[in-house]
Amino acid sequence: MRRLVPSVGLLGQVVAILLLTMLIEFGVSTLLYERASQFSVRDDEARRLAEHLVISRRLVEERPPEQRPAMADDLTTDRYEMHWDRKPPHVPPVAPTLDQMQRQIMEWEPSLGTRDLRIRLTSPGTSSAVTGGLRLNDDSWLHFRTLEPVARLNFGFERIALALVPAIALMVIGGLMLRRALLPLRRLAVAADRVGQHEVEPVPEDGPGDVRRLVAAFNRMQARIRALIETRTQALAAVGHDLRTPLARLRLRSESVEDDETRTAIDHDVAEMEAMVTSLLAFLGGDSDPETPVSVDLAVMCATLVDDANDLGRMADYDGPDHLEMRLRRSGFKRALTNLVDNALHYGDQLTVALEKTGGGVTIRVIDDGPGIPQERLADVLQPFVRLDPARRRDTVGFGLGLAIAMQAVQAEGGTLSLANRVPHGLEAAIRLPGHKT
C-alpha cells in the first residue's frame, strides 16, 4: 500500500482522504440510524398507545369527513395528541423509524398491521417524541404524537453528542492524514529556507507523486547552486592570486622610481587597488566562507579596535563590559566591525563603540560625529557598490562594499545591521545579535 500511495498526486490523496472521511461518516450515521430504530418502550406503554390508536381509528372512521377533525380533537389527551388529515404524516427525513416499537404495538393490536402504521422519532428541543400516523378505510390519515417524552428514548442530547463525536474524530483523523501527506512540503520549505545560510543536505524524495517531483527538482537545483558556488570560489581564488601578483611586482618596481612624489603616488594607487581587490573578494566569497563559529570575547574585540584607532591618533572611546563571550565567525565578524569603525573614522572626528547585553541578545553601536546620511538614503548605502556623493566624500578607498560586507557578516550570525542619523549630526550603526551564547 505504501508503494502505491506515492504514485498518486497530491490532489488525489486529498480527494482520497475526503472520500474516506465521508464513507466513515456515512457508516457511523447509518449505524446511529439503525441504533435508533431499535429503541423500544415498556410493554405497558406500547399497549396503552396501541389501545388508543385502535379506539381512535374506530371512532374517527364512524364519523363523516366533516366531523372527523373535531372527533380527533376530542380524542386528544394529556398523553397523546390526535388529528385527522387527508394527507399522510410528514416528518423530517432524518427522523429514524422505530421498528422495534412498531413491532411491540402490533403484537398488542395485530389489526394495526394492515393500516400502514408509520412511527418515527422526532426530537423537538431537548425532549424526544414519537410521531406517526395510520391509514383509514378511505385512505385518509389519523395523525398522532406523544405529548410526553417516551421512556428510554432520552435521545435529544444523545443524538447530538453521538453525531458530534464521530464528526470531531473524523476531523482529527483527516487533519492528521493531510498533515502526513503535506510533511514532504514542510521539509522542502525548511530546506529552501536554509539555502545560502547553512550546508543543506538533499531532501528525502517521498510523499505524493507531485511533491516527489518537486523535491527532486529542488535537489537538482540545489546541486547546481552548489556547483556554481564551488566554481565561483575557485575562480575567486584564481583571480585573487592573479591580481595580487602583478600588484606585488608593481610595488617592488615602484621602489626603483627616484622621484619621491611619483613613487608615493604609485604606492597609494597600489594600496587602493589592493584594498579594492580585498573588499571585492570578501564580498563575493562570503557565501562560501568555510569559517566555523568559535568562542569570541566581543568586549576585547571592540576594545582592541578602539585602541588601534587611538594608536593612529584618532579620538575613540569604548563603552561596555570588560568581557562578553559569544560564538561567532571570528574573522568575518571582525571584518564587519573593522569596516564600521573605518567608516566612522573616515567621515567623523570622534568615534564611540558601545557594547551592551540586552534581554534578547547583544547590541553593538558604532557612533561617529560625521555629517550623517540623508534619511531617505539610509537603506541604499547598505547595498553593494553604492556611494552617496552628497553625504560622503569621493576619496573612499574600494568599491563601496564596506557596509555591504558588514551586513553580510552580521546576517551570517543571524543578526541585523541598521543605520540611524543622530541629532544634531553623526551616524549610528547598530548591530543586534540574537541569543547570548558562550
Side-chain angles (χ1 to χ4, degrees):
M1 184 66 181
R2 292 177 61 87
R3 296 177 181 176
L4 295 176
V5 170
S7 62
V8 181
L10 180 60
L11 178 61
Q13 287 204 14
V14 172
V15 172
I17 291 172
L18 294 177
L19 180 60
L20 178 61
T21 55
M22 290 176 61
L23 290 176
I24 296 176
E25 173 65 21
F26 177 79
V28 173
S29 300
T30 302
L31 178 63
L32 292 177
Y33 186 89
E34 293 298 329
R35 179 175 177 268
S37 68
Q38 299 303 317
F39 273 102
S40 62
V41 295
R42 295 195 306 268
D43 286 344
D44 58 338
E45 294 177 347
R47 178 175 57 83
R48 189 180 297 113
L49 177 57
E51 291 175 349
H52 194 82
L53 289 178
V54 170
I55 294 173
S56 298
R57 175 182 61 80
R58 290 175 181 175
L59 293 176
V60 170
E61 281 183 336
E62 291 174 356
R63 298 295 190 272
E66 63 272 10
Q67 296 180 7
R68 289 179 179 180
M71 175 57 66
D73 291 339
D74 292 340
L75 293 171
T76 297
T77 66
D78 57 353
R79 186 179 292 272
Y80 307 113
E81 177 185 347
M82 312 294 294
H83 74 275
W84 175 84
D85 200 333
R86 293 189 180 276
K87 297 180 180 180
H90 174 73
V91 291
V94 295
T97 59
L98 300 177
D99 299 336
Q100 180 64 27
M101 182 176 178
Q102 185 167 345
R103 284 193 293 268
Q104 288 179 279
I105 293 174
M106 288 189 295
E107 285 177 359
W108 283 101
E109 294 293 341
S111 62
L112 295 178
T114 61
R115 296 294 180 168
D116 194 11
L117 178 63
R118 302 180 183 181
I119 300 179
R120 285 182 178 269
L121 177 69
T122 58
S123 300
T126 59
S127 60
S128 300
V130 174
T131 61
L134 56 95
R135 190 192 304 271
L136 302 182
N137 291 332
D138 60 352
D139 291 332
S140 62
W141 288 81
L142 180 63
H143 300 244
F144 63 91
R145 178 177 181 273
T146 58
L147 297 178
E148 296 180 356
V150 180
R152 296 181 60 190
L153 286 179
N154 185 18
F155 204 57
F157 175 78
E158 185 179 358
R159 287 177 64 192
I160 296 175
L162 291 176
L164 285 178
V165 169
I168 294 174
L170 288 174
M171 290 175 60
V172 173
I173 295 173
L176 293 176
M177 295 176 69
L178 285 174
R179 183 177 184 273
R180 176 65 183 86
L182 298 177
L183 179 60
L185 285 179
R186 289 196 296 274
R187 287 201 296 259
L188 180 62
V190 173
D193 189 57
R194 292 170 60 90
V195 171
Q197 299 180 2
H198 306 278
E199 183 68 23
V200 181
E201 298 179 355
V203 182
E205 298 178 10
D206 58 2
D210 298 336
V211 177
R212 287 190 295 113
R213 287 188 289 272
L214 176 62
V215 173
F218 174 82
N219 287 333
R220 291 193 296 270
M221 179 192 70
Q222 184 175 252
R224 290 194 297 268
I225 292 175
R226 185 181 296 109
L228 288 173
I229 292 176
E230 292 175 354
T231 302
R232 188 187 70 172
T233 302
Q234 296 173 359
L236 286 174
V239 168
H241 178 270
D242 292 344
L243 288 179
R244 286 192 173 100
T245 298
L247 287 176
R249 291 200 300 264
L250 186 59
R251 184 182 295 276
L252 290 174
R253 291 172 181 173
S254 68
E255 296 178 358
S256 62
V257 177
E258 296 180 358
D259 184 67
D260 293 340
E261 184 176 351
T262 302
R263 184 172 62 254
T264 301
I266 293 175
D267 290 340
H268 181 270
D269 290 341
V270 170
E272 183 173 355
M273 292 179 65
E274 287 181 340
M276 293 169 65
V277 170
T278 299
S279 64
L280 183 62
L281 294 178
F283 177 73
L284 295 179
D287 289 342
S288 59
D289 189 354
E291 185 179 5
T292 56
V294 296
S295 181
V296 177
D297 193 326
L298 273 180
V300 173
M301 180 182 292
C302 294
T304 301
L305 293 175
V306 169
D307 292 339
D308 292 342
N310 288 325
D311 293 341
L312 296 175
R314 307 302 298 272
M315 297 179 61
D317 296 314
Y318 168 69
D319 181 14
D322 294 333
H323 299 281
L324 201 161
E325 295 282 339
M326 287 196 71
R327 290 189 63 82
L328 301 168
R329 295 166 180 82
R330 181 191 295 274
S331 298
F333 195 78
K334 185 177 181 180
R335 185 186 303 125
L337 280 181
T338 301
N339 288 351
L340 294 179
V341 169
D342 290 345
N343 190 73
L345 292 174
H346 188 80
Y347 300 109
D349 298 324
Q350 187 172 359
L351 162 72
T352 299
V353 178
L355 172 66
E356 62 177 337
K357 177 182 176 182
T358 60
V362 173
T363 301
I364 305 173
R365 292 183 174 87
V366 180
I367 305 168
D368 65 52
D369 60 350
I373 297 175
Q375 190 67 28
E376 68 276 7
R377 303 301 304 276
L378 283 174
D380 295 340
V381 296
L382 295 175
Q383 302 300 318
F385 308 105
V386 171
R387 285 178 173 175
L388 303 180
D389 297 346
R392 303 295 192 182
R393 302 189 296 274
R394 291 289 301 183
D395 58 349
T396 305
V397 175
F399 287 112
L401 292 173
L403 292 177
I405 293 173
M407 170 74 82
Q408 191 179 69
V410 171
Q411 289 178 342
E413 306 298 339
T416 60
L417 171 62
S418 60
L419 303 178
N421 288 311
R422 296 175 60 83
V423 178
H425 56 80
L427 184 72
E428 176 181 305
I431 297 176
R432 294 176 175 84
L433 300 175
H436 179 215
K437 301 178 294 182
T438 58

